[in-house]
Amino acid sequence: MIDFQHVTKKYTTNDKTITAVNDVNLVVQRGEIFGVIGFSGAGKSTLIRCVNLLERPTEGKILVNQKDLLTLSQKELRDVRRKIGMIFQHFNLLESKTVFHNVGFPLSLAGVPKQEIKRKVESLLEFVGLADKANHYPEQLSGGQKQRVGIARALATDPEILLCDEATSALDPQTTSSILDLLRKVREEYHITILMITHEMQVIKEICDKVAVMENGKVIEEGTIFDVFSNP
Ligand code: ADP
Ligand code: ADP
């Protein structure tokens, strides 16, 4: 589903070059929950940002559904982007819009008719357990509720891949568990592949099928949770 082949990303600022991601090879299978764990600065966000093309790798290839992201036409790129949803540590909701309009926003942008948006948003809010919050504004919600809105918005365009960037790092342990339960339900009901980055070991252990450990831009371990975290 996502195939990283020798992916390297270098940043150059003020004549200094740093290699944020260094020759990473990973395969994320369809339907997997795949976790990338590492300390701050390890290169995790850079790696995930290369998947939705917020960054472009300096070297190497990323295939999504066998398609090389770096050689797509503008139209193909738009199609692939629509298949990739993303959620964030700080939720990134639009504060001036209600929950309903936050979730419907990607659909409005895509020109989906109002009636269809209404149907879709209502069913997504039902799914994430916020049917009664449609007319609330983000500031009226708890952190966990905001992330539920983030998840509903990410699902609005029927993505095949959900990228999670430290999605539970701003939440307390109990809220984290409830969001992880919801992500499990997302995988089951929508058959979505989930790629998450986190610095929280507990999150990886609780939900991921596979894990890669990153350090200084490199993947230093990879395998099932059992492989990586049980000492021989
Ligand atoms: P992580 O997500 O694991 O914390 P990042 O991918 O954010 O790691 O960062 C990896 C390295 O790349 C760090 O040294 C960071 O300072 C650097 N870096 C990240 N983004 C940029 C950028 N836009 N410009 C320059 N350096 C960056
Ligand atoms: P605007 O504020 O831009 O006029 P509205 O709030 O009237 O937009 O809503 C635009 C569309 O979204 C309408 O079709 C409306 O029925 C629908 N809508 C807005 N809020 C809700 C909600 N809480 N539940 C169901 N449909 C909603």
Side-chain angles (χ1 to χ4, degrees):
M1 187 82 210
I2 315 174
D3 191 355
F4 298 90
Q5 299 181 354
H6 301 288
V7 173
T8 292
K9 173 68 187 181
K10 297 178 182 178
Y11 293 110
T12 303
T13 38
N14 305 330
D15 302 332
K16 250 187 81 185
T17 298
I18 56 158
T19 307
V21 172
N22 193 349
D23 194 23
V24 165
N25 295 288
L26 285 179
V27 176
V28 180
Q29 306 285 357
R30 186 181 290 275
E32 247 170 21
I33 301 185
F34 195 109
V36 177
I37 190 165
F39 293 115
S40 172
K44 306 180 299 293
S45 359
T46 301
L47 188 70
I48 211 171
R49 286 160 65 84
C50 285
V51 178
N52 60 2
L53 295 154
L54 291 169
E55 301 285 356
R56 239 181 123 82
T58 319
E59 289 160 50
K61 276 194 212 180
I62 300 177
L63 310 183
V64 170
N65 260 340
Q66 271 97 48
K67 283 199 176 136
D68 182 348
L69 291 186
L70 299 180
T71 61
L72 298 181
S73 68
Q74 285 302 318
K75 187 195 168 304
E76 288 173 311
L77 215 53
R78 269 199 303 278
D79 291 344
V80 171
R81 274 220 178 101
R82 245 197 298 272
K83 291 193 183 136
I84 303 177
M86 187 155 177
I87 59 174
F88 306 88
Q89 177 171 7
H90 298 293
F91 323 120
N92 297 15
L93 302 179
L94 299 167
E95 296 294 328
S96 64
K97 289 187 184 285
T98 61
V99 165
F100 180 93
H101 288 298
N102 264 282
V103 176
F105 195 58
L107 299 173
S108 306
L109 289 182
V112 173
K114 278 197 166 184
Q115 246 347 80
E116 206 178 317
I117 294 179
K118 185 165 147 60
R119 198 171 44 78
K120 187 91 195 210
V121 173
E122 282 172 352
S123 96
L124 284 167
L125 288 179
E126 189 73 40
F127 177 75
V128 301
L130 291 180
D132 58 337
K133 298 282 189 280
N135 296 320
H136 285 54
Y137 286 87
E139 65 175 14
Q140 301 172 289
L141 304 178
S142 68
Q145 289 171 334
K146 286 184 197 176
Q147 195 57 293
R148 286 170 187 272
V149 177
I151 291 169
R153 178 182 56 185
L155 295 176
T157 51
D158 296 319
E160 294 179 11
I161 296 171
L162 180 64
L163 304 176
C164 308
D165 185 349
E166 298 283 0
T168 56
S169 301
L171 305 174
D172 62 59
Q174 202 178 339
T175 310
T176 293
S177 285
S178 77
I179 293 297
L180 296 180
D181 284 343
L182 179 58
L183 289 176
R184 243 180 247 115
K185 205 171 97 176
V186 166
R187 187 249 296 264
E188 275 154 33
E189 298 202 13
Y190 291 82
H191 307 289
I192 284 181
T193 306
I194 299 180
L195 174 59
M196 56 167 65
I197 61 173
T198 180
H199 65 277
E200 298 174 300
M201 181 71 87
Q202 205 45 44
V203 168
I204 298 279
K205 285 191 172 163
E206 218 173 303
I207 194 179
C208 294
D209 306 307
K210 290 236 191 83
V211 60
V213 183
M214 271 188 95
E215 205 174 280
N216 295 324
K218 282 189 176 292
V219 170
I220 57 165
E221 295 243 21
E222 190 206 334
T224 63
I225 300 301
F226 185 79
D227 289 342
V228 173
F229 294 120
S230 61
N231 295 318

